[in-house]
Amino acid sequence: MSVQMLYTAATGMQAMETKLDVVANNLANINTTAFKKARANFEDLFYRQVKLPGAQDAQGNLTPTGIAVGLGTRVQSTQTDFTQGAFSQTNAPFDVAIEGKGFFVVADPSTGQNVYTRQGNFSLNNQGQLVMGSAQTGRIVQPPITIPQDALNVVISSEGVVSFNQVGNPQFTQAGTLQLAQFINPEGLIKQGEGIYLESQASGAAVQTNPGTQGVGLLRQGALELSNVEPVRELIDLITTQRSFELNSQAVQAGDQVLQLVANLRRF
């Protein structure tokens, strides 16, 4: 009696456990600015070919089908859904949402390299430079944009032009342009946490340009992009995944009971 059934059901439990991790992460980030939900994909494993299709029977005819026993499943990949999230109107001058598929470009202070984010909750550092509004790491927007201390109003156009006026001068002065980057394969980006993505060979090189050009998208000042997690769908996935895990565990129990029955029969 083969114990393969135990290992096959165990692969199902392991795969469902991974999917539960993915669903839990989606639900945990339901209020994370510009978070992009993930999806777990699965594939079947190697098959034990008991009898191949096309074998000859006793009369010399070819059989139309064969006998193949699957050995379980595994996680094929986790794909990120980069669909646009809804917008939340904050009216804060340094909150900027991307209406399109682009990414903000910021500098990682530890490496000096450019990293990418969809989070547009910006702030100013002690030198007046536009940075990500993070209490963990001060990542400066690239190319750098500096706002003077006596600036009264800061306006960010849909094309990314950052302007301000000062006391005694009603005319607006341009401080720079918020540029966006896009990738031929965004799913190939490496998730770093803190809303940061890293470029990889799979994503392709970043193409950095001004908003409103090359299909990179436009900007919306005074708004933030919300997470694209759909709570109802995630709860349905959570329930179905939990049930699938339970079914695989029952298959393990059934296989164990069958083996015990066979072992008991051998005693007589």
Side-chain angles (χ1 to χ4, degrees), residues 235-248:
L235 287 174
I236 293 174
D237 279 350
L238 181 64
I239 294 171
T240 56
T241 305
Q242 182 183 9
R243 295 295 177 264
S244 298
F245 186 93
E246 292 174 354
L247 287 173
N248 281 280

Side-chain angles (χ1 to χ4, degrees), residues 121 132-139 194:
N121 52 320
M132 287 187 66
S134 170
Q136 310 298 327
T137 307
R139 297 185 175 93
E194 301 182 33

Side-chain angles (χ1 to χ4, degrees), residues 94-160:
F94 297 119
D95 283 349
V96 185
I98 302 174
E99 192 171 0
K101 59 182 182 180
F103 294 81
F104 294 112
V105 185
V106 294
D108 188 344
S110 60
T111 63
Q113 296 180 343
N114 287 344
V115 294
Y116 308 93
T117 183
R118 293 277 300 187
Q119 294 185 348
N121 52 320
F122 296 120
S123 184
L124 298 179
N125 62 12
N126 62 344
Q127 299 178 8
Q129 295 173 314
L130 198 63
V131 297
M132 287 187 66
S134 170
Q136 310 298 327
T137 307
R139 297 185 175 93
I140 301 174
V141 171
Q142 299 298 309
I145 296 175
T146 302
I147 306 296
Q149 185 176 1
D150 59 348
L152 294 178
N153 300 300
V154 178
V155 177
I156 303 175
S157 70
S158 58
E159 288 78 22

Side-chain angles (χ1 to χ4, degrees), residues 47-52 66-69:
Y47 281 80
R48 176 163 55 90
Q49 301 293 341
V50 180
K51 188 175 183 180
L52 291 172
I67 302 175
V69 180

Side-chain angles (χ1 to χ4, degrees), residues 17-247:
E17 183 181 10
T18 301
K19 185 174 181 180
L20 282 173
D21 291 339
V22 173
V23 173
N25 186 62
N26 288 341
L27 290 172
N29 286 281
I30 198 168
N31 289 318
T32 300
T33 302
F35 176 79
K36 302 303 178 184
K37 63 183 179 181
R39 179 189 69 196
N41 301 318
F42 304 94
E43 62 184 6
D44 48 354
L45 294 178
F46 185 76
Y47 281 80
R48 176 163 55 90
Q49 301 293 341
V50 180
K51 188 175 183 180
L52 291 172
Q56 289 188 349
D57 59 15
Q59 288 74 34
N61 298 319
L62 299 182
T63 58
T65 62
I67 302 175
V69 180
L71 304 184
T73 185
R74 67 181 175 188
V75 177
Q76 181 191 57
S77 64
T78 55
Q79 290 181 279
T80 304
D81 183 359
F82 281 97
T83 55
Q84 182 81 57
F87 292 113
S88 173
Q89 195 70 27
T90 66
N91 295 323
F94 297 119
D95 283 349
V96 185
I98 302 174
E99 192 171 0
K101 59 182 182 180
F103 294 81
F104 294 112
V105 185
V106 294
D108 188 344
S110 60
T111 63
Q113 296 180 343
N114 287 344
V115 294
Y116 308 93
T117 183
R118 293 277 300 187
Q119 294 185 348
N121 52 320
F122 296 120
S123 184
L124 298 179
N125 62 12
N126 62 344
Q127 299 178 8
Q129 295 173 314
L130 198 63
V131 297
M132 287 187 66
S134 170
Q136 310 298 327
T137 307
R139 297 185 175 93
I140 301 174
V141 171
Q142 299 298 309
I145 296 175
T146 302
I147 306 296
Q149 185 176 1
D150 59 348
L152 294 178
N153 300 300
V154 178
V155 177
I156 303 175
S157 70
S158 58
E159 288 78 22
V161 178
V162 181
S163 305
F164 62 90
N165 64 355
Q166 297 169 287
V167 178
N169 183 11
Q171 299 295 324
F172 277 85
T173 303
Q174 289 190 9
T177 302
L178 267 175
Q179 293 190 339
L180 298 178
Q182 62 179 335
F183 301 87
I184 190 170
N185 176 30
E187 291 183 1
L189 292 170
I190 300 173
K191 296 180 179 180
Q192 192 71 9
E194 301 182 33
I196 295 298
Y197 298 90
L198 300 181
E199 179 184 308
S200 73
Q201 291 183 343
S203 67
V207 178
Q208 193 167 332
T209 184
N210 293 336
T213 61
Q214 301 183 22
V216 75
L218 297 171
L219 302 184
R220 184 181 295 187
Q221 185 183 18
L224 290 176
E225 182 185 6
L226 300 178
S227 167
N228 67 351
V229 175
E230 301 175 50
V232 175
R233 178 168 295 182
E234 294 300 323
L235 287 174
I236 293 174
D237 279 350
L238 181 64
I239 294 171
T240 56
T241 305
Q242 182 183 9
R243 295 295 177 264
S244 298
F245 186 93
E246 292 174 354
L247 287 173

